[in-house]
Amino acid sequence: MTTIPLLTPEEIAVRSGRQAPVLHLPVRSEIFAEREIRLRELAADHAMRDYLLLITDLTRAQHALLQDYPDVALPDADALAAAVRAGRPSLPAELWPRDPRWRDGLHRLLEALLPRVPTDVVRSTVEALRSLDADALESQADRLLGNDASGLDLAAAPFIAAALQAYWTHLVLATQAVHGAERLAPFGRIEDATRCPCCGFVPVASVARIDATSGGLRYLQCALCSTQWHMVRIKCSHCESTKGIHYQSLERVDAGVSEPLKAAVEAETCDECGSYLKIVRKDRDPQVEPVADDLASLTLDLLVSEAGFERHGTNLLLLFGEPDKPDDGGGG
């Protein structure tokens, strides 16, 4: 008997002459609005209901902020061209000189959120964050973007991260709008395929898309600016190995169904480097959203971690570690 090898979606696309788009930029009117809807749906009867609803309200505030974001400094054409030629991200998270208006965005988020905070503990965190001076806020932002837990205020981190997400999402979209109109491609592939081509940040998860141009293909989604970039399936998103890739998931059983259904959220583990990243499968549930479904599947993280795998990537809206007192902005 002749064995016919199974083709990956990418191989099928190539054989059919379909060129996979390298990037999918976020849509200003959709990215946070769709995330809010998914978070609210997932919060119902969830063990983390209160926290998911808090992030739902924060995401709603992000959407409102993004719709009329103020003008901020953008890279010029020469800087963009140089970055593309060198295979570097055009808006690098750790190196980009942040416009101080990102802090104005943070205060807008906090003001919108304050009437809706669920507990006195959260309220005190929000109030304390509103009173931090510029240097302290910038220091916390540096730590978040540099993945430096030393001196990071874990309670305040999701709110600061939300402001940075709105800022970088606007940066990407505004840069594309200005320079794309000049027929300059401001973003392209970079040397490190595991990092976002726009801002160089790590992914939150990957997503198997179902749309007309990219259906069946896998994209990594940036935890900071929400850009999605193509990476072939069955390939580690950390070390890029194609060996020892496995998929772990929690069983999903619906009423009236005798056998477990295939889970829409899986952990892709790599035996070569011992890392994992979740993949959300829109072909199994069209409503899944990488950030929301990652937050709501914390149990899967715990089980995969207990098996000895370390997460590659991050969800900026839920960070773990030994909490340190934030410094006074003087570094350290």
Side-chain angles (χ1 to χ4, degrees), residues 89-227:
S90 301
L91 301 164
E94 292 189 67
L95 300 175
W96 179 254
R98 293 186 295 271
D99 192 300
R101 288 186 175 179
W102 83 266
R103 299 194 303 269
D104 297 335
L106 170 61
H107 286 286
R108 283 181 58 184
L109 293 180
L110 297 176
E111 290 169 7
L113 192 64
L114 196 56
R116 306 180 65 86
V117 292
T119 66
D120 290 340
V121 173
V122 178
R123 179 178 293 275
S124 65
T125 298
V126 172
E127 292 283 13
L129 192 52
R130 292 176 74 195
S131 67
L132 280 186
D133 62 29
D135 287 343
L137 287 176
E138 294 294 350
S139 178
Q140 289 291 297
D142 287 342
R143 284 167 166 74
L144 268 172
L145 298 176
N147 193 30
D148 179 8
S150 173
L152 182 63
D153 183 347
L154 292 175
F159 307 109
I160 298 172
L164 293 171
Q165 286 176 333
Y167 170 62
W168 246 278
T169 301
H170 173 72
L171 265 182
V172 167
L173 295 177
T175 299
Q176 176 65 35
V178 170
H179 295 287
E182 301 168 354
R183 298 191 176 183
L184 170 68
F187 308 112
R189 292 191 184 275
I190 61 175
E191 288 185 355
D192 187 350
T194 71
R195 295 270 181 160
C196 174
C198 296
C199 69
F201 206 67
V202 295
V204 59
S206 62
V207 54
R209 295 177 60 103
I210 57 173
D211 53 283
T213 61
S214 308
L217 305 184
R218 190 263 288 263
Y219 286 75
L220 302 181
Q221 176 155 322
C222 180
L224 182 61
C225 72
S226 290
T227 294

Side-chain angles (χ1 to χ4, degrees), residues 49-62:
R49 178 179 181 275
D50 289 345
Y51 188 77
L52 292 179
L53 288 177
L54 171 64
I55 300 302
T56 300
D57 290 336
L58 182 58
T59 303
R60 178 196 301 168
Q62 286 179 294

Side-chain angles (χ1 to χ4, degrees), residues 66-81:
L66 188 61
Q67 302 320 298
D68 62 345
Y69 209 94
D71 292 338
V72 296
L74 302 176
D76 61 27
D78 290 340
L80 290 173

Side-chain angles (χ1 to χ4, degrees), residues 251-264:
E251 288 189 349
R252 171 186 160 200
V253 180
D254 288 358
V257 178
S258 58
E259 296 183 1
L261 301 175
K262 290 184 177 180

